[in-house]
Amino acid sequence: MAIVKIGILGRISGKVNDAVWVNQRGKNYVRKLPEHYNDANTELQAAQRLKFAVVIGFLKPIKDFIHISYSGYAIKMNAFNAAFSHTFHHAVTGEYPDFVIDYPSVLVSRGSLAGALNPTCESSHPGAVCIRWDNNSGIGNASESDLAMVLIYNPDKRKAIYLTDRAKRATGSIDVEVPAEFKDNIVHCYLSFMTLNPIFGKRRNGISDSKYLGSISII
C-alpha cells in the first residue's frame, strides 16, 4: 500500500484497473488488488453452496419428522431452519468437495426432556429394525407415558421411516417394519422421546435430544 499526497489530485477514491484508491483522514492510499481474490472467493462460495446442498439433501426426507421434533426448540425460526442450522454447523465432515453427513453428530430432535437410556438397534429378522432401551421413568423429568420417537434413515435410498406414537418409555422396545427395498442397505437409527400434556391430549410440551443408536444392515 502506498500513500499519495493530495496535491492536485484532491480527494480521490475508487478502483482503477488493479488498484484501489481510498481517502482516510485527508490522505490518499493506493492498494493493489490481490491477484487471486476472485478465484478464492468463488471457491469459498462453491464450498458453502455444496455444504448447503448436502445438508438439505439429508434433511429433506425427514422434514415431516423435524416439524415435530424441533417444534419446541425453534426460536425466531421455523423447525426446519433450526434443524438445518445445527446440522450445517455440527454434523458435516470432510473437505470441499467431499462433504458428508456425520451421522453420529446429527440431532434429529432437540429439547430438555430426559433422553433414552442405553438404547440399541438391530436387524434380527427380515424387514424390521428392533429398537431397545432401558426404562428410566421417574428419573429427572422422564415419565412412563412419554412416547418413543424413532427415526430410521436410509442414505442410499434417500428415504426415512419414522414413528412417534407406537411405544411408551415404560415399554422399553419397539419393532419397526421397513420397506422391502431397504434389504441389504445400511440404515442409521435414532431414538428420542416426546411427552404429552395430559390436559390437552396430543399437544406436545416436551421433547428430548435424540440419541444415535448406530448403523445396521437390513436383512
Side-chain angles (χ1 to χ4, degrees):
M1 180 176 68
I3 300 176
V4 180
K5 293 182 179 180
I6 294 179
I8 61 173
L9 292 175
R11 183 184 181 89
I12 60 175
S13 64
K15 187 178 79 167
V16 178
N17 294 327
D18 62 349
V20 176
W21 298 78
V22 181
N23 183 279
Q24 295 179 348
R25 297 180 181 179
K27 294 183 179 180
N28 288 317
Y29 296 84
V30 59
R31 289 176 291 193
K32 189 175 185 298
L33 288 173
E35 293 182 2
H36 302 291
Y37 176 82
N38 289 334
D39 291 341
N41 189 47
T42 299
E43 183 173 337
L44 176 61
Q45 290 179 339
Q48 290 294 93
R49 286 194 297 268
L50 179 58
K51 189 175 179 181
F52 184 98
V54 168
V55 174
I56 291 294
F58 167 71
L59 293 177
K60 189 174 180 179
I62 63 174
K63 58 183 177 61
D64 292 337
F65 180 86
I66 286 171
H67 180 71
I68 300 171
S69 64
Y70 268 77
S71 60
Y73 192 83
I75 301 175
K76 296 182 179 181
M77 64 178 73
N78 62 41
F80 188 89
N81 287 343
F84 175 90
S85 178
H86 183 274
T87 307
F88 187 89
H89 291 103
H90 302 286
V92 180
T93 188
E95 300 292 334
Y96 175 76
D98 300 314
F99 293 128
V100 293
I101 295 294
D102 180 24
Y103 294 101
S105 298
V106 170
L107 287 177
V108 296
S109 71
R110 299 199 70 181
S112 58
L113 184 65
L117 179 63
N118 300 322
T120 62
C121 64
E122 63 176 340
S123 180
S124 59
H125 55 275
V129 175
C130 305
I131 307 293
R132 305 286 184 266
W133 64 88
D134 292 344
N135 178 16
N136 58 342
S137 301
I139 301 176
N141 59 358
S143 172
E144 291 184 352
S145 61
D146 294 339
L147 295 177
M149 302 173 64
V150 175
L151 179 80
I152 299 170
Y153 186 85
N154 185 331
D156 289 337
K157 297 294 190 296
R158 292 289 182 94
K159 293 183 178 180
I161 303 298
Y162 66 87
L163 300 173
T164 60
D165 59 359
R166 284 270 306 277
K168 296 181 179 181
R169 190 189 294 266
T171 306
S173 66
I174 185 173
D175 292 345
V176 183
E177 295 182 358
V178 298
E181 62 179 323
F182 279 25
K183 180 178 171 57
D184 298 325
N185 286 175
I186 298 295
V187 299
H188 299 271
C189 304
Y190 299 86
L191 174 65
S192 54
F193 287 98
M194 173 176 64
T195 187
L196 300 182
N197 188 311
I199 298 177
F200 297 102
K202 292 188 176 182
R203 179 181 176 183
R204 295 178 294 276
N205 66 350
I207 292 176
S208 74
D209 282 358
S210 61
K211 293 287 186 68
Y212 178 68
L213 311 186
S215 60
I216 57 175
S217 178
I218 301 298
I219 62 176

